[in-house]
Amino acid sequence: MQNKTCIIISGPTASGKTATAIELAQYFKTEIISADSRQCFKELNIGVAKPTPIELQTVPHHFINSHSIHQHISAADFEKYALETVDIIFKKNDIVIMAGGTGLYINAFVQGMDMIPEIDPLLRTNISNEYERSGIDGLTSQLKQEDPLFAEKGEMQNPQRMMRALEVIRSTGKSILNFQKKSTKKRDFNIVQLGLEIEREVLYRRINQRVEHMMAAGLLEEARALYSSRHLNALQTVGYREVFDYLDGKIDLMKAVELIQQNTRHYAKRQLTWFKKSTDINWVQSADILNTVEAML
């Protein structure tokens, strides 16, 4: 199967991954696997910048609207899902496109992960309740004490990742980072990794505008409809968290919008830091993507 190739498009939020992936998928007459840890949830739409219904009809997408917010999805789950999906697509096409900004998921697909034992649902609930009571500062304090490795190297601004790390350390006695493969699993297909290069000023302007468009499209109403589920891991994320604070009366709506923009910019910066560490990613302008891919295949 070595003539089969998965082209991975990564980069920060709002860098143009969706449009680029669709362009490539149409060119190669193939399908897209999303590598986004939020767009897989069918209940979330506006706040996760999901592809539009027209975009989803243009090219077959996988790992979008595939799960419920009541399900717990891990990087290992994504690895299994994505490997099964590429296998199916490769029966029809030599090329598969993957696109997304969740670096941990992409790493799991490219390098593999050791399976993490099942987590006791009661433990998961207790940690979620801890977060409800003490917020991200409480998670930070607990991780520094219980899992200093994750506290040093993990995503310490992402409550879902932080709660997951606490689940694993308390359940197994080992840091979740120790379950990431030290040596890359050999895949029986080729992998080409591309990162979308974009000027910081342009990216931040796009992020600010996207948040304004989200509010105009009804993010407040979407968050209000999801309010009763705000304790779930899937909703511990930028966009919903700030609107929930507004609905709780902690901040006004203008402040909520400003915080979404600010926290999304911070998230994009962390994504760039993550992806720039990889020596396997070739950084390109979106306009050059087809020429670059053709030259690499």
Side-chain angles (χ1 to χ4, degrees):
M1 214 159 105
Q2 277 294 348
N3 61 329
K4 308 291 186 179
T5 301
C6 180
I7 302 168
I8 302 176
I9 308 297
S10 60
T13 187
S15 58
K17 295 185 295 295
T18 296
T20 301
I22 288 173
E23 179 186 1
L24 283 177
Q26 287 180 309
Y27 180 78
F28 289 109
K29 297 181 175 56
T30 189
E31 304 178 16
I32 296 171
I33 301 172
S34 167
D36 186 292
S37 63
R38 289 294 185 269
Q39 292 182 358
C40 62
F41 297 118
K42 57 191 174 187
E43 297 90 347
L44 310 185
N45 289 291
I46 299 168
V48 296
K50 196 173 282 180
T52 66
I54 292 175
E55 287 173 327
L56 292 174
Q57 289 170 12
T58 302
V59 171
H61 283 71
H62 303 271
F63 207 64
I64 288 184
N65 298 326
S66 53
H67 295 78
S68 167
I69 55 174
H70 300 284
Q71 295 173 267
H72 184 84
I73 309 298
S74 67
D77 294 325
F78 176 78
E79 178 192 8
K80 182 174 183 292
Y81 178 102
L83 288 173
E84 289 172 354
T85 305
V86 295
D87 204 35
I88 292 168
I89 300 171
F90 280 147
K91 288 179 170 60
K92 304 175 282 185
N93 201 297
D94 289 342
I95 304 286
V96 173
I97 310 299
M98 178 178 287
T102 303
L104 190 61
Y105 281 19
I106 292 172
N107 269 16
F109 174 75
V110 173
Q111 299 179 356
M113 289 190 76
D114 285 334
M115 289 302 294
I116 297 172
E118 283 294 311
I119 304 297
D120 183 345
L122 181 59
L123 174 62
R124 178 165 292 145
T125 300
N126 289 341
I127 290 172
S128 181
N129 290 340
E130 286 178 27
Y131 174 62
E132 281 288 297
R133 287 194 303 271
S134 56
I136 197 167
D137 290 341
L139 296 180
T140 301
S141 176
Q142 289 300 314
L143 282 165
K144 285 181 178 177
Q145 182 179 333
E146 299 179 45
D147 187 352
L149 178 64
F150 186 88
E152 180 188 356
K153 298 183 176 180
E155 293 185 60
M156 289 295 286
Q157 292 297 318
N158 185 323
Q160 187 198 23
R161 297 274 178 267
M162 295 167 77
M163 286 189 283
R164 179 63 172 159
L166 279 175
E167 290 173 8
V168 172
I169 194 76
R170 291 179 184 177
S171 183
T172 70
K174 294 196 294 186
S175 173
I176 191 171
L177 297 183
N178 288 330
F179 285 91
Q180 295 177 22
K181 279 288 186 186
K182 301 298 183 291
S183 58
T184 301
K185 282 184 185 173
K186 183 146 180 65
R187 304 302 189 197
D188 59 353
F189 50 87
N190 300 314
I191 295 175
V192 172
Q193 293 198 64
L194 301 172
L196 292 186
E197 193 83 75
I198 183 170
E199 290 182 16
R200 191 69 59 97
E201 286 182 13
V202 175
L203 178 64
Y204 286 177
R205 186 165 63 246
R206 280 192 192 178
I207 287 170
N208 292 341
Q209 290 171 346
R210 174 186 275 185
V211 174
E212 290 172 2
H213 292 157
M214 284 178 172
M215 294 305 297
L219 177 57
L220 175 58
E221 290 72 21
E222 181 172 280
R224 186 177 276 123
L226 292 163
Y227 185 78
S228 63
S229 300
R230 67 192 183 283
H231 61 286
L232 297 175
N233 274 355
L235 286 157
Q236 311 303 320
T237 188
V238 176
Y240 297 103
R241 220 167 42 223
E242 296 83 356
V243 178
F244 291 149
D245 281 347
Y246 161 70
L247 294 173
D248 285 335
K250 296 177 182 176
I251 54 177
D252 63 33
L253 190 57
M254 185 178 295
K255 182 62 175 177
V257 173
E258 289 175 3
L259 284 173
I260 296 171
Q261 291 172 325
Q262 175 184 307
N263 291 335
T264 305
R265 293 194 302 270
H266 290 166
Y267 175 57
K269 189 176 180 181
R270 291 194 301 274
Q271 285 177 301
L272 274 169
T273 299
W274 173 288
F275 289 123
K276 289 287 185 179
K277 287 177 185 174
S278 173
T279 56
D280 296 323
I281 296 176
N282 301 277
W283 292 90
V284 295
Q285 301 283 335
S286 58
D288 299 329
I289 201 83
L290 277 177
N291 290 336
T292 302
V293 169
E294 285 285 21
M296 297 180 75
L297 292 179

